[in-house]
Amino acid sequence: SAMRAILLTCLTLLTAGAATAAKPSGAPAFGLVNLSAANFRSAPAQSAELATQASFGTPVKVVKEKGEWLLVDMPDGYRAWIDRPSVTLMNQEMMERWRNAPRLIVTSMTEIHAVADTVAGLVPDNIVSDLVLGSILEGEAPEPGAGYVGISFPDGRSGYVASSSVETFDTWADRLYDPQAILSTAYSLMGVPYLWGGTTTKGVDCSGLVKVTFFASALILPRNASDQARCGIAVDHKSPHLLQPADLLFFSPEDDPDSKRITHVGIYDGGYLYVHSSGRVKVNGFKSDGSRYINRPVKRAMRIALPGRELPGAVRVASHPWYFNL
């Protein structure tokens, strides 16, 4: 009947609309991470090895789909699997709009919360989400003297965060290399537990600590220590007086100190000391008569950036086309 035809047409349109909402049309497919610490895995299964993590607003490019899993490329070139609910999918046009939109980035060294009502405070029904260092959210610059600023999440949720905990994304992305700022970030994570695959302030592995600290200074480094060891310029690791704060120190396996393989990394802080993640984020040294000495010889040292410019292998966020329409 005519009525049945109309109902079928409506059902078809609704189904098509739902499919469009679930996966925006257009190629290539992009997405924005929609969790404070989204887990990326080595295979499309929750039981698979944790490969890396990312926080709100990290852009990804979809390479392949398998059921409820997406194989994606990340801004640092790393490829891993993530479950679909952790990402808000976007087409090219939507991504271009996001790259031009006013955005804020969380610069608080400790976990914070977005709230629905600025008066109600941190009561359970008022919390929208947790947020960690490096989370990127849409929002206008805070008004002078305002205690809170409005933000919106990739999936459309909205809320408010303390103005003191964020910075405008454009301003943050243009910051210059500052070794002391990198070390300050590293020390703010003291005691954070080691987590294989961890790259957020909730838990970090050794190269994850490096990624978090350098990203806080608007520099994107590769995911793994072996790749980070090819970034920047080499420094003579056998001449400690040549080392500078925030240089990266690389180590071989503890059970095979003579190996040439790079399996561990730390951030140098002068006086033969370095910050690293091993069990937890802590400080150790490589001078044999020092109080924090551990028997793990330095095998390589690299300087990642110089004032005003990054060196090979490091990419400034401001220069990355996934974050800005360049």
Side-chain angles (χ1 to χ4, degrees), residues 154-296:
D155 64 1
R157 286 177 295 161
S158 62
Y160 300 88
V161 294
S163 299
S164 60
S165 65
V166 296
E167 187 175 339
T168 57
F169 187 65
D170 291 7
T171 301
W172 169 86
D174 281 335
R175 62 176 53 189
L176 298 177
Y177 173 73
D178 181 353
Q180 292 305 319
I182 288 171
L183 283 164
S184 177
T185 301
Y187 277 107
S188 76
L189 299 178
M190 289 289 284
V192 168
Y194 179 93
L195 174 64
W196 178 272
T199 57
T200 72
T201 56
K202 291 176 178 287
V204 289
D205 58 21
C206 65
S207 55
L209 172 65
V210 170
K211 278 193 67 67
V212 169
T213 54
F214 277 79
F215 187 80
S217 289
L219 281 170
I220 301 171
L221 297 191
R223 172 64 186 94
N224 295 323
S226 57
D227 293 322
Q228 292 171 357
R230 293 192 285 269
C231 286
I233 56 174
V235 182
D236 184 1
H237 65 280
K238 296 181 180 179
S239 302
H241 66 281
L242 297 178
L243 295 172
Q244 296 179 6
D247 284 349
L248 296 185
L249 306 181
F250 296 92
F251 306 83
S252 296
E254 284 187 283
D255 58 355
D256 188 11
D258 294 327
S259 171
K260 294 182 179 180
R261 291 190 302 120
I262 297 297
T263 60
H264 191 65
V265 60
I267 306 170
Y268 186 61
D269 186 27
Y272 298 89
L273 299 175
Y274 58 93
V275 187
H276 67 139
S277 180
S278 179
R280 68 180 188 278
V281 177
K282 59 186 177 181
V283 177
N284 280 115
F286 57 89
K287 189 175 183 181
S288 59
D289 58 353
S291 61
R292 299 186 179 184
Y293 172 75
I294 57 174
N295 186 20
R296 195 167 193 174

